[in-house]
């Protein structure tokens, strides 16, 4: 049994010397995911729907105006 305790102690000491690898991986992954979510949030306000275009996808003429947003103005 003393051999098992010594081996466990050596394993714990060796694991402590590995450095902050896992922590840095988590921080890096969270930063990337946060950057993507921030970009999506900021860029979704600049999206154009395609309903304001003079011609629709089906070949018919579009409304030509911003009727959906200015209906009550």
């Amino acid at each position: 049994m003393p051999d098992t305790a010594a081996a466990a102690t050596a394993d714990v000491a060796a694991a402590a010397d590995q450095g902050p690898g896992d922590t840095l991986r988590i921080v890096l992954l969270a930063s990337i995911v946060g950057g993507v979510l921030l970009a999506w949030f900021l860029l979704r306000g600049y999206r154009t729907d395609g309903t304001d275009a003079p011609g629709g996808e089906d070949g018919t003429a579009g409304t030509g105006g911003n009727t959906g947003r200015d209906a009550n103005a």
Side-chain angles (χ1 to χ4, degrees):
M1 198 64 149
D3 294 331
T4 306
T9 304
D11 288 342
V12 169
D17 293 336
Q18 292 295 322
D22 290 338
T23 303
L24 288 178
R25 277 192 208 111
I26 292 170
V27 168
L28 182 63
L29 182 63
S31 299
I32 291 171
V33 170
V36 168
L37 288 174
L38 179 64
W40 171 77
F41 179 74
L42 292 175
L43 291 174
R44 71 184 181 127
Y46 297 108
R47 177 178 46 194
T48 56
D49 292 336
T51 57
D52 299 335
E57 289 181 11
D58 58 353
T60 60
T63 59
N66 203 357
T67 59
R69 296 182 190 148
D70 297 334
N72 295 327

